[in-house]
Amino acid sequence: MSSIESVLQENRIFNPSPEFVAQANVSGMDAYKALCAEAEADYEGYWGRLARENIVWKQPFTTVLDESKAPFYQWFPDGKLNISWNCLDKNVEAGLGDKTAIIFEADKGEVTKVTYRELLSRVAKFANALKGLGVKKGDRVIIYLPMSIEGVVAMQACARIGAIHSVVFGGFSAAALRDRIEDAGAVLIITADEQCRGGKNIPLKPAVDEALTLGGCGSVRNVVVYQRSGGPANMVAGRDLWWHDLVAGQSETCEPEWVDAEHPLFLLYTSGSTGKPKGVQHSTGGYLLLAILTMKWTFDIKPTDVFWCTADIGWVTGHTYGTYGPLACGGTEIVFEGVPTYPDAGRFWKMIQTHKASVFYTAPTAIRALIKLGEGHPEHHPEKYDLSSLRLLGTVGEPINPEAWMWYHEKVGGGRCPIVDTWWQTETGAHMITPLPGATPTVPGSCTLPFPGIMAAIVDETGHELEWGKGGFLVIKRPWPSMIRTIWGDPERYRKNYYPEELGGKLYLAGDGSVRDPKTGYFTIMGRIDDVLNVSGHRLGTMEIESALVSNPLVAEAAVVGKPHDIKGEAIVAYVVLKRARPVGEEAKQLANDLRNHVAHEIGPIAKPDEIRFGDNLPKTRSGKIMRRLLRTLARGEEITSDVSTLENPAILDQLKEVVK
Ligand code: PRX
């Protein structure tokens, strides 16, 4: 509840400055309202107009939205296009060939710049190499690469030939990688020998080798390895190929595969409340449209901008605002290999200064961490750097607390840059609720109003819209072009998860709780309503972590909950029952450590529990249901005041208060 109260008490309002409004792509509240009104009046007409104006189609569409198979919606179904053509060739043909497309800064600071012409040639060569390996339209390709120009090239090359990419974040373990390879039925994996982060070289290729020995990966024919550091790559003859060998001698032109607008562009695995991560399937045309529109309207992108989204390509933010959006708009973007704290906590600010970044987009967790580090080390404080190139700031991934918002506004934005707090999800493809910086007055902690054409609302458990001021489920009432199309291989799960019968089957259920300000209608996100945690902006299912824990032979049962954390937003607390007696003292410490490493091995270091507590049992009702509510109260260190007499084993609660340090 604290987040609602803090918003209701939050009365600081920041109006866009007249100078910003004057130059903005959407200038003033009336312009925002006019777009919303156009969408209200003629929904298909609105999206059709925008799709014609913003995308270059090989074959124009005649149908805007086909709802006949709802909730499997189709957008622009008879249109044909290629997204890589729209990101590269289009810009070269428009005279931007010599413009810098990507400024790449490596972990240790080396800078490489690539023009649109060079990027197109590199994408074409790599696309030809993929074709040479027999990769065809519709084949799935796993990309397990660090932040790099090659990462963008690999994604664009897949899109160029109509192959469906599925990027797996480099921080995921071999086991997590294997699950994704198997589910996607991938024919090819693109990886690197190592990734360089924070001054360290971290092996990547060995995780691929391990994943391929775990079974279920029979679909994989080849592994392409980009030589990043010269680290051990253990090339397997006949299966593994060096990137540099493959592209050598390839033609610099590659006719794009013209695909239907609905052709799947990518799968991206994300966590839900049940089972294994699900492969969120995105389309080509509708996805591209919202990538472009949000770049233009939310980020107010201009030809002179230097745009920097700090997200890794392993997440949806790195797809829409790293690989596709900025390039489709002919922008110059920064791609950063490293971490914000290396060589010191001034890295982001130094990079903004060096590259004259004008639009900067990052996660609240990074801001909170840098506040702490910056305030403790004045030499790394943003005020020590020249950040005058900045004109717009953004955040994404989790709620931003008003204190962090204010710091970002004052210390990074110099009080002059609007902040766009963008609410969206892997499934939505692009921003759904966000200020438009030249139109929307902002309030710290609120993502404000829906993007024009997005019909967001808050409903109760029966699907009835609630009056402003009442908290409920965040839904989107009408399909939108960049929405998830299905869960790969599991359409029924898609339908049940996102269009539940309980809400009438016609509302997209986001999985977040939200409330609208009673006066302004501004949205504030209260966090997930399901068993999904948001740890440092990373989305993790409690079930996934529980499954990882119980896959350890020592563990009989596990329950995972979140608790608020100053910097990470949420921390992971795991309650564990062993098959043997409850450990105490040194043994407990050792076992907790082993289990944390076990989770890192099963999922990745990002899923390591922050705290482990051992019990002889978990608090259960007489019918055997685990009382998670009580576990959450215990995790927060609060007293349980509710009646626990219905518990089968109330005494267990005292045991579970004990944290293994
Ligand atoms: O809970 C919301 C939170 O992140 C979830 C989506 O996570 P993911 O699919 O990994 O995508 C993250 C990047 C788009 C949402 O359900 N979330 C995202 N943005 C915000 C947010 N919570 C509050 N405010 C936001 N701006």
Side-chain angles (χ1 to χ4, degrees):
M1 289 301 279
S2 59
S3 58
I4 317 178
E5 279 152 20
S6 76
V7 143
L8 295 184
Q9 287 160 12
E10 181 58 73
N11 46 24
R12 288 169 290 200
I13 296 179
F14 295 83
N15 287 302
S17 69
E19 302 79 59
F20 199 100
V21 176
Q23 60 80 57
N25 290 340
V26 177
S27 177
M29 214 42 193
D30 288 346
Y32 167 77
K33 285 186 184 150
L35 289 166
C36 296
E38 185 188 343
E40 281 284 349
D42 176 7
Y43 197 64
E44 292 189 28
Y46 170 79
W47 289 116
R49 169 177 81 75
L50 293 168
R52 274 185 286 272
E53 288 173 5
N54 288 282
I55 292 176
V56 180
W57 297 89
K58 182 72 175 173
Q59 176 186 300
F61 56 89
T62 58
T63 303
V64 172
L65 170 62
D66 178 354
E67 302 191 74
S68 62
K69 299 188 193 76
F72 300 90
Y73 299 101
Q74 302 205 318
W75 284 90
F76 321 116
D78 57 348
K80 281 191 191 291
L81 75 161
N82 181 280
I83 195 167
S84 146
W85 192 93
N86 271 271
C87 290
L88 303 171
D89 312 54
K90 180 186 80 183
N91 293 318
V92 173
E93 287 183 14
L96 299 180
D98 295 326
K99 180 172 179 175
T100 301
I102 297 178
I103 302 171
F104 174 70
E105 184 164 315
D107 188 49
K108 295 222 165 78
E110 317 87 289
V111 174
T112 316
K113 294 186 181 174
V114 184
T115 64
Y116 272 94
R117 197 185 321 283
E118 285 160 3
L119 189 60
L120 171 59
S121 135
R122 289 176 68 165
V123 168
K125 282 179 151 190
F126 194 64
N128 286 329
L130 292 178
K131 284 206 279 193
L133 292 174
V135 179
K136 294 197 181 61
K137 178 181 169 191
D139 283 348
R140 277 79 58 208
V141 173
I142 294 277
I143 298 178
Y144 188 60
L145 281 172
M147 283 297 279
S148 51
I149 297 169
E150 284 69 17
V152 176
V153 169
M155 292 164 81
Q156 290 278 351
C158 286
R160 193 160 189 95
I161 64 171
I164 305 168
H165 60 70
S166 186
V167 184
V168 178
F169 175 56
F172 279 120
S173 69
L177 177 63
R178 187 214 78 94
D179 290 347
R180 287 154 174 81
I181 296 170
E182 182 182 34
D183 190 79
V187 299
L188 185 93
I189 302 172
I190 305 171
T191 190
D193 49 358
E194 296 184 318
Q195 51 180 333
C196 308
R197 283 167 71 82
K200 297 193 202 85
N201 288 1
I202 307 157
L204 266 185
K205 174 67 170 32
V208 174
D209 293 331
E210 188 187 337
L212 293 178
T213 60
L214 293 175
C217 301
S219 54
V220 176
R221 293 193 303 257
N222 292 110
V223 178
V224 175
V225 186
Y226 157 57
Q227 191 167 38
R228 169 65 189 94
S229 60
N234 180 37
M235 300 297 278
V236 175
R239 186 194 74 184
D240 300 354
L241 303 144
W242 287 112
W243 176 301
H244 53 259
D245 288 341
L246 273 178
V247 295
Q250 294 288 352
S251 160
E252 289 187 6
T253 55
C254 171
E255 173 68 10
E257 180 79 35
W258 304 104
V259 299
D260 292 343
E262 281 296 315
H263 182 69
L265 174 65
F266 66 85
L267 311 179
L268 190 56
Y269 284 82
T270 190
S271 298
S273 47
T274 51
K276 296 210 159 169
K278 44 197 179 186
V280 170
Q281 179 181 320
H282 276 287
S283 71
T284 302
Y287 172 81
L288 175 61
L289 177 59
L290 262 289
I292 293 175
L293 285 179
T294 50
M295 284 302 300
K296 287 188 174 170
W297 296 352
T298 311
F299 290 130
D300 193 47
I301 203 76
K302 303 280 163 50
T304 48
D305 275 316
V306 176
F307 177 80
W308 185 14
C309 162
T310 65
D312 193 282
I313 51 165
W315 312 113
V316 72
T317 310
H319 283 55
T320 310
Y321 304 108
T323 296
Y324 293 111
L327 298 177
C329 292
T332 296
E333 64 163 333
I334 296 173
V335 173
F336 175 44
E337 179 180 43
V339 297
T341 48
Y342 176 82
D344 57 57
R347 184 68 183 266
F348 275 1
W349 323 131
K350 186 164 181 231
M351 283 181 61
I352 291 171
Q353 172 178 286
T354 309
H355 303 301
K356 301 202 168 28
S358 56
V359 182
F360 180 64
Y361 190 40
T362 196
T365 193
I367 298 168
R368 288 190 295 259
L370 293 174
I371 292 176
K372 209 165 167 191
L373 292 166
E375 298 297 333
H377 291 269
E379 69 277 22
H380 308 321
H381 196 278
E383 284 172 342
K384 287 280 178 247
Y385 297 84
D386 175 7
L387 304 182
S388 58
S389 57
L390 287 174
R391 64 182 197 91
L392 176 58
L393 301 173
T395 73
V396 58
E398 45 179 333
I400 178 161
N401 45 311
E403 301 70 40
W405 195 103
M406 287 306 299
W407 186 88
Y408 197 32
H409 179 69
E410 285 167 4
K411 312 290 184 204
V412 181
R416 75 183 177 277
C417 304
I419 296 180
V420 287
D421 172 356
T422 59
W423 176 84
W424 59 297
Q425 311 177 291
T426 305
E427 293 88 340
T428 68
H431 306 150
M432 294 286 105
I433 306 180
T434 175
L436 302 190
T440 320
T442 50
V443 172
S446 168
C447 53
T448 75
L449 296 171
F451 193 79
I454 300 302
M455 308 295 178
I458 297 175
V459 301
D460 64 15
E461 59 284 346
T462 60
H464 287 102
E465 203 159 336
L466 291 166
E467 61 188 89
W468 293 0
K470 291 224 161 96
F473 302 140
L474 180 57
V475 297
I476 302 175
K477 294 194 285 186
R478 299 221 54 192
W480 66 99
S482 65
M483 68 187 296
I484 172 176
R485 291 308 194 264
T486 188
I487 291 174
W488 181 257
D490 200 348
E492 216 23 56
R493 189 169 168 201
Y494 161 80
R495 184 201 293 275
K496 283 205 184 112
N497 243 286
Y498 301 109
Y499 285 91
E501 282 305 323
E502 297 86 311
L503 301 187
K506 288 199 159 59
L507 300 172
Y508 169 85
L509 178 66
D512 281 319
S514 182
V515 62
R516 301 186 73 160
D517 181 89
K519 288 199 212 76
T520 58
Y522 275 20
F523 287 78
T524 289
I525 306 298
M526 286 139 60
R528 300 288 306 191
I529 51 166
D530 51 11
D531 295 321
V532 169
L533 304 181
N534 194 328
V535 182
S536 300
H538 298 148
R539 182 165 154 185
L540 293 162
T542 53
M543 278 269 295
E544 254 178 287
I545 306 172
E546 289 164 10
S547 311
L549 284 165
V550 297
S551 74
N552 185 297
L554 295 174
V555 177
E557 218 176 352
V560 167
V561 299
K563 74 166 192 181
H565 186 279
D566 279 356
I567 290 180
K568 303 205 273 186
E570 257 183 315
I572 305 171
V573 180
Y575 297 88
V576 175
V577 180
L578 297 181
K579 288 179 189 157
R580 54 160 118 148
R582 173 174 180 260
V584 289
E586 272 309 306
E587 192 198 1
K589 226 181 189 173
Q590 183 58 45
L591 279 169
N593 211 26
D594 291 352
L595 290 178
R596 283 163 45 83
N597 289 335
H598 178 75
V599 173
H601 184 263
E602 290 300 302
I603 304 174
I606 53 172
K608 269 189 181 181
D610 298 89
E611 260 179 34
I612 292 200
R613 304 182 184 196
F614 292 105
D616 290 319
N617 205 335
L618 297 172
K620 289 179 190 151
T621 60
R622 294 211 165 82
S623 60
K625 195 168 163 299
I626 298 173
M627 297 288 283
R628 287 171 184 277
R629 183 173 48 79
L630 298 179
L631 293 177
R632 278 191 280 269
T633 308
L634 287 180
R636 287 197 297 266
E638 292 168 4
E639 281 306 315
I640 292 175
T641 50
S642 58
D643 180 15
V644 293
S645 60
T646 54
L647 279 187
E648 194 198 315
N649 47 1
I652 212 75
L653 296 174
D654 282 333
Q655 257 186 11
L656 296 176
K657 282 183 187 157
E658 212 178 293
V659 185
V660 182
K661 291 278 185 230

